[in-house]
Amino acid sequence: AQSVTQLDSHVSVSEGTPVLLRCNYSSSYSPSLFWYVQHPNKGLQLLLKYTSAATLVKGINGFEAEFKKSETSFHLTKPSAHMSDAAEYFCVVRYRRVQFYFGTGTSLTVIP
Amino acid sequence: NAGVMQNPRHLVRRRGQEARLRCSPMKGHSHVYWYRQLPEEGLKFMVYLQKENIIDESGMPKERFSAEFPKEGPSILRIQQVVRGDSAAYFCASSMGDGYGYTFGSGTRLTVV
């Protein structure tokens, strides 16, 4: 069975401080993992993806994520938060080529 | 390249009416996926279509919901006799096929009153 758990529904950080959004997955197969961001009234935008290449994946806007098989985790990080990073973030596992399982989302607030 | 276009952005329907949601994939994309985002929940896969074919509809409710992707024109997600519980954001994504990236639309927010 496939599932995704985002451990925090809300995260608040101060501008300029590090961001950590946590994600654990469960998959019977070697997973493909993604992080998507959703800004208000906007479509989902792909931040980065892991597809069994390098375990440390760099994405857009300074985000990166590390695939840790032993911990079944795929946490999203950024060294320094910017106000424009405030959004909803979704961790996603891909199953059977075409099905994506989304986590319930983490709302990131950036405090000036 | 206009990206994945969904319309309308917002749709209000009374209980019992029909809702039609449209998705025009990116140019060159022949694979379309529909997702539903319910309040306080993540996105849930509904259906995967290629031109004129339904490939995987395992996430579609058994009744009242249908989807099509005709040879010409956009993909349509149709909800008959809508109920309050159908109120959600419906997202469409498209791709060139397996192994290629997925691009999502901005979604259609359906409100059933």
Side-chain angles (χ1 to χ4, degrees), chain A residues 38 41 43 94 98-100, chain B residues 9 35 56 58 91 98 105:
Chain A
Q38 183 181 23
N41 297 315
R94 181 187 179 193
V98 301
Q99 289 194 22
F100 290 78
Chain B
R9 292 290 298 274
Y35 293 83
D56 183 342
S58 57
F91 287 90
D98 188 32

Side-chain angles (χ1 to χ4, degrees), chain B residues 34-97:
Chain B
W34 283 94
Y35 293 83
R36 176 166 60 174
Q37 183 181 30
L38 292 165
E40 307 304 321
E41 295 187 27
L43 281 88
K44 305 289 186 184
F45 169 79
M46 298 182 75
V47 62
Y48 163 43
L49 310 103
Q50 295 180 22
K51 285 285 187 181
E52 301 184 276
N53 289 303
I54 296 175
I55 307 302
D56 183 342
E57 59 180 346
S58 57
M60 287 280 271
K62 293 290 187 283
E63 299 177 348
R64 302 187 297 108
F65 285 72
S66 62
E68 62 177 10
F69 188 19
K71 187 176 181 180
E72 301 291 339
S75 175
I76 306 289
L77 179 67
R78 182 183 178 202
I79 311 172
Q80 295 178 290
Q81 300 176 318
V82 296
V83 300
R84 288 254 172 89
D86 297 333
S87 295
Y90 292 82
F91 287 90
C92 168
S94 73
S95 78
M96 292 174 60

Side-chain angles (χ1 to χ4, degrees), chain A residues 6-12 21-22 87-89 104-109, chain B residues 40:
Chain A
Q6 290 185 243
L7 298 162
D8 308 293
S9 58
H10 300 277
V11 170
S12 289
L21 305 183
R22 297 183 295 166
E88 189 88 12
Y89 291 80
T104 52
T106 298
S107 178
L108 176 65
T109 300
Chain B
E40 307 304 321

Side-chain angles (χ1 to χ4, degrees), chain B residues 1-49:
Chain B
N1 196 332
V4 178
M5 304 300 293
Q6 288 189 249
N7 65 81
R9 292 290 298 274
H10 300 275
L11 181 62
V12 180
R13 284 288 177 266
R14 296 185 185 279
R15 280 177 293 173
Q17 291 185 319
E18 178 180 287
R20 280 180 175 249
L21 288 65
R22 295 174 185 78
C23 171
S24 296
M26 283 187 70
K27 187 177 181 180
H29 287 192
S30 59
H31 299 239
V32 166
Y33 315 79
W34 283 94
Y35 293 83
R36 176 166 60 174
Q37 183 181 30
L38 292 165
E40 307 304 321
E41 295 187 27
L43 281 88
K44 305 289 186 184
F45 169 79
M46 298 182 75
V47 62
Y48 163 43
L49 310 103

